[in-house]
């Protein structure tokens, strides 16, 4: 039969499934689009931490003023606000990373995420991002045709150098 209003608006995500979805988007950027600015370590780590922190702060503020998303009818506002503020913060700090928006959204719409409280931006947001960056540095640099990261933490473009051997080329990618 037709869906009732409560069924359409009720989030059906658990914490593990939601985290896997956000990390899946991060994996596509880091492992497949490794040359994209959005996939660079600074953007991945800071963008995800910003998203987690903004999600936490938005929920906490809305809760403090009595406007938290305690019902599905009001969840849309808190969710939209957390993503919008994440985009603004990422743009201002020069660390745009779309999965960071998902991190903010997940904190708002998935109750088990909120149980992590202030630790949510650290784990899974920061820890997950750091693990992805480390794995990306290893796997993307196995091919001579790929180099990750493309920029340093301070976003300075890297200089290209012609390596004498494959091993020197591999090690040079981390400088």
């Amino acid at each position: 039969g037709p869906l009732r209003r409560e069924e359409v608006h009720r989030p059906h995500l658990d914490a593990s499934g939601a985290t896997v979805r956000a990390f899946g988007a991060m994996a596509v950027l880091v492992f497949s689009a490794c040359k994209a600015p959005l996939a660079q370590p600074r953007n991945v780590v800071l963008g995800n931490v910003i998203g987690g922190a903004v999600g936490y702060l938005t929920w906490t503020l809305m809760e403090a003023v009595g406007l938290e998303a305690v019902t599905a009818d009001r969840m849309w506002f808190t969710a939209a606000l957390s993503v919008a503020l994440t985009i603004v913060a990422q743009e201002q700090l020069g660390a745009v990373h779309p999965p960071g928006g998902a991190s903010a959204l997940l904190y708002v719409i998935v109750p088990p995420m909120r149980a992590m409280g202030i630790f949510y931006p650290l784990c899974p947001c920061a820890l997950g991002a750091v693990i992805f960056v480390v794995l990306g540095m290893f796997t993307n640099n196995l091919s001579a045709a790929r180099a990750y990261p493309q920029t340093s933490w301070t976003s300075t473009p890297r200089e290209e150098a012609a390596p004498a051997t494959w091993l020197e080329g591999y090690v040079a990618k981390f400088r």
Side-chain angles (χ1 to χ4, degrees):
L3 292 174
R4 293 188 317 243
R5 183 172 173 220
E6 307 86 53
E7 293 173 327
V8 172
H9 294 286
R10 185 178 354 149
H12 296 286
L13 299 173
D14 62 16
S16 61
T19 304
V20 166
R21 288 174 178 93
F23 282 175
M26 192 182 322
V28 170
L29 287 171
V30 172
F31 300 115
S32 182
C34 65
K35 292 182 179 182
L38 303 174
Q40 299 312 302
R42 181 178 192 276
N43 290 40
V44 172
V45 175
L46 286 181
N48 219 35
V49 170
I50 290 167
V54 169
Y56 167 77
L57 292 171
T58 303
W59 178 266
T60 302
L61 177 65
M62 297 301 271
E63 192 174 43
V65 297
L67 296 174
E68 74 275 8
V70 293
T71 66
D73 292 336
R74 291 195 285 182
M75 184 172 291
W76 69 268
F77 179 74
T78 306
L81 183 62
S82 70
V83 174
L85 292 174
T86 296
I87 293 168
V88 170
Q90 287 179 343
E91 287 283 347
Q92 290 299 312
L93 295 171
V96 176
H97 184 64
S103 295
L105 179 64
L106 291 175
Y107 189 86
V108 172
I109 68 171
V110 182
M113 296 291 192
R114 293 193 301 268
M116 295 179 204
I118 190 69
F119 297 105
Y120 177 74
L122 300 175
C123 183
C125 295
L127 180 61
V130 167
I131 290 170
F132 269 84
V133 166
V134 170
L135 290 173
M137 289 173 74
F138 175 73
T139 59
N140 285 319
N141 290 310
L142 289 174
S143 167
R146 297 171 70 105
Y148 182 80
Q150 295 287 309
T151 61
S152 70
W153 187 262
T154 59
S155 298
T156 305
R158 59 200 284 105
E159 294 180 21
E160 296 292 327
T165 66
W166 178 86
L167 182 58
E168 287 177 1
Y170 182 80
V171 172
K173 293 178 182 183
F174 295 100
R175 292 184 196 145

